[in-house]
Amino acid sequence: MAIDKKYIGKISEDNLDDWLHSTGFLYPINEKQLDRFSKLYEDYDFKLKDANIDIASIINGTLCNKTKIIPLKLSSDFNNEIENLRMVARKGQSNNLPKHIIDKMRNKHCDSDDKE
């Protein structure tokens, strides 16, 4: 949708409500607004042409979202790294901890000290 520059001068505070209806921010309520809306969106490619929308279920609140559970597949390397970090957190051993993790912990500690 591209509003022609010739329409910009026609929009004023007095007819702003009319233009909101015409541009689709509010529902068109007369033929003039509907014609403007159709002209503005004539080249719009509506992607849901074959989709059925059950308006009654939306209004009644009975619309059900179908959920899909996607199992998370973790690699054994990732599980080993998590286990190593858990052990470091429990035992306080930082010699096995990668440098980027130590730097991250230091930065986090410095940030929390600055906030107080």
Side-chain angles (χ1 to χ4, degrees):
M1 177 190 95
I3 297 178
D4 291 336
K5 292 185 181 192
K6 64 181 179 182
Y7 291 121
I8 299 297
K10 295 182 179 181
I11 300 173
S12 67
E13 190 174 325
D14 297 332
N15 64 3
L16 182 61
D17 196 45
D18 189 45
W19 279 97
L20 288 174
H21 286 282
S22 299
T23 53
F25 289 101
L26 301 172
Y27 291 115
I29 55 175
N30 59 35
E31 287 297 320
K32 180 181 173 185
Q33 294 168 358
L34 188 59
D35 290 341
R36 279 187 192 150
F37 180 81
S38 297
K39 189 172 181 180
L40 286 171
Y41 291 99
E42 66 187 351
D43 60 343
Y44 180 73
D45 182 24
F46 186 64
K47 306 242 188 295
L48 299 175
K49 290 180 182 165
D50 297 329
N52 294 327
I53 300 171
D54 187 9
I55 296 170
S57 67
I58 295 171
I59 293 172
N60 296 335
T62 59
L63 180 68
C64 295
N65 291 336
K66 297 177 182 175
T67 58
K68 183 176 181 181
I69 298 173
I70 301 172
L72 184 61
K73 296 177 183 175
L74 300 175
S75 67
S76 61
D77 293 336
F78 185 74
N79 287 333
N80 288 339
E81 185 177 351
I82 290 175
E83 191 58 38
N84 288 339
L85 293 176
R86 283 184 184 159
M87 293 304 291
V88 167
R90 279 190 217 128
K91 295 182 179 179
Q93 298 173 344
S94 60
N95 56 353
N96 293 337
L97 199 59
K99 183 173 178 359
H100 71 280
I101 299 292
I102 294 171
D103 293 340
K104 191 173 184 179
M105 289 169 47
R106 283 187 182 140
N107 289 337
K108 182 73 173 175
H109 183 68
C110 290
D111 289 344
S112 64
D113 285 345
D114 293 340
K115 292 180 183 175
E116 292 176 4

